[in-house]
Amino acid sequence: MTDILEPAVVPVLDDASPLARLFAMVGDAYTEAEQRDDAEVAAAHHVYNAYGATLGLVLGGEDWAGQISVKDNRLEASAVAWLEGGLWLHHALAISEDDGARDVLTLIAPCACGSGYFDIQLENEEDLLEILTGLRRTGGRVPHPYDDDCGSVLDPHAPTQK
């Protein structure tokens, strides 16, 4: 089976072949609105089922904003939910040859130094509670030992220094 993130080899089809005729029956009509809706539903469904005692109590389907797939960067459609204080949740389906499709929920939290963000992939509800316990002590910021030891992703909205 081919990994969907790898470029597919597309054979040249005879227009009269059965596969070409089947392809003609279906279109590429998967609209951006449908991608967003599907991503929002998948995120809400995963959170409700896997995080029912925590996130499932505070986030509903309307709290998710779907994002369309990005073909050039080979990113699948996803959804994000704003938690306030600079924290976000990001949900996507990771599809691989080995694992099939699996939900990936990531908490995105600001760095304590204010220069960027850290992403923390959540494995389960206990993992979430442990991470939230640590973040509560720091006001929702991910600490690091020294100001010059920041390994976060740069904040795209931060002013540049010249």
Side-chain angles (χ1 to χ4, degrees):
M1 182 154 61
T2 304
D3 187 346
I4 68 162
L5 296 179
E6 294 176 7
V9 176
V10 180
V12 176
L13 299 175
D14 176 2
D15 288 340
S17 75
L19 184 57
R21 291 176 24 215
L22 287 169
F23 281 165
M25 291 178 194
V26 297
D28 286 337
Y30 191 47
T31 67
E32 289 184 2
E34 290 171 327
Q35 287 183 48
R36 286 186 178 96
D37 288 345
D38 288 350
E40 291 167 8
V41 168
H45 182 265
H46 175 66
V47 164
Y48 180 77
N49 287 307
Y51 297 86
T54 55
L55 296 172
L57 295 175
V58 298
L59 292 176
E62 69 281 355
D63 294 313
W64 292 95
Q67 307 297 314
I68 62 170
S69 62
V70 180
K71 301 284 186 224
D72 293 345
N73 292 337
R74 300 187 314 195
L75 299 174
E76 294 296 321
S78 62
V80 294
W82 171 245
L83 299 177
E84 292 201 36
L87 281 81
W88 294 82
L89 285 172
H90 178 267
H91 176 271
L93 285 175
I95 303 171
S96 73
E97 191 173 309
D98 297 329
D99 298 331
R102 69 178 183 86
D103 293 283
V104 178
L105 187 63
T106 305
L107 177 66
I108 301 167
C111 183
C113 70
S115 67
Y117 291 86
F118 278 91
D119 58 346
I120 306 161
Q121 188 171 327
L122 302 173
E123 298 299 325
N124 53 43
E125 208 156 38
E126 288 111 25
D127 192 30
L128 170 66
L129 290 171
E130 184 179 325
I131 291 165
L132 289 175
T133 299
L135 288 174
R136 185 173 187 188
R137 287 186 225 125
T138 60
R141 306 272 184 209
V142 177
H144 53 75
Y146 308 104
D147 286 341
D148 59 352
D149 187 31
C150 183
S152 67
V153 176
L154 295 180
D155 181 352
H157 305 294
T160 57
Q161 296 188 14
K162 295 182 182 185

